[in-house]
Amino acid sequence: MGAKVTALAVLALPMLGSTAYAAPQAGTSATPLAAAVQASWGCDNNPTVNRFNASYTPGNNSVTVYYNNHCNHSVRWHVEFFDTKNQENHSSECVTVPAGSKSSKKFNKSIFDNVTGVWKC
């Protein structure tokens, strides 16, 4: 029985005398990262099989929309914003995406603009 108590005491010593802790890392933020918002709609010719997909995560001064056009025709879309200062909606210009393309488009916005979605034109 004495050997068991000694073994437990030896295992517990590093925990009792330890002052180590996880220090905050430089450059980290206390706020969690925002999840990407996704938008998707079916293609004109076959909406149940082919889709246009978009995702974005709004920043303070801009929003980048990543898109993937699975349609066999071009798709026109825009970003809609809500201006919290003036309490009004406004939209970006319409963007035309060729069939089968995958890329991204960056839009500038004010700090008062909230992105409300990506929509068809």
Side-chain angles (χ1 to χ4, degrees), residues 9-10 21 29 31 56 61 74 92 95 110 113 120:
V10 170
Y21 63 94
S29 173
T31 59
Y56 61 91
N61 299 317
S74 62
S92 69
V95 177
S110 79
D113 285 341
K120 280 180 156 181

Side-chain angles (χ1 to χ4, degrees), residues 62-74:
S62 66
V63 59
T64 302
V65 178
Y66 299 90
Y67 58 85
N68 191 353
N69 184 4
H70 295 282
C71 302
N72 60 4
H73 57 81
S74 62

Side-chain angles (χ1 to χ4, degrees), residues 3-117:
K4 288 182 183 177
V5 172
T6 304
L8 288 175
V10 170
L11 291 174
L13 281 176
M15 291 188 301
L16 293 174
S18 175
T19 58
Y21 63 94
Q25 300 295 315
T28 60
S29 173
T31 59
L33 295 175
V37 179
Q38 298 184 0
S40 179
W41 56 83
C43 301
D44 295 339
N45 58 352
N46 195 354
T48 58
V49 176
N50 297 328
R51 301 197 65 75
F52 177 84
N53 303 310
S55 65
Y56 61 91
T57 303
N60 288 333
N61 299 317
S62 66
V63 59
T64 302
V65 178
Y66 299 90
Y67 58 85
N68 191 353
N69 184 4
H70 295 282
C71 302
N72 60 4
H73 57 81
S74 62
V75 172
R76 291 176 41 91
W77 58 273
H78 69 277
V79 178
E80 189 173 284
F81 301 96
F82 178 73
D83 182 345
T84 58
K85 183 177 180 182
N86 298 319
Q87 296 294 302
E88 61 188 21
N89 289 321
H90 62 95
S91 296
S92 69
E93 73 277 2
C94 285
V95 177
T96 302
V97 177
S101 65
K102 178 180 179 179
S103 189
S104 63
K105 172 93 172 135
K106 184 176 180 177
F107 298 90
N108 293 324
K109 68 179 198 70
S110 79
I111 59 171
F112 300 108
D113 285 341
N114 291 330
V115 179
T116 58

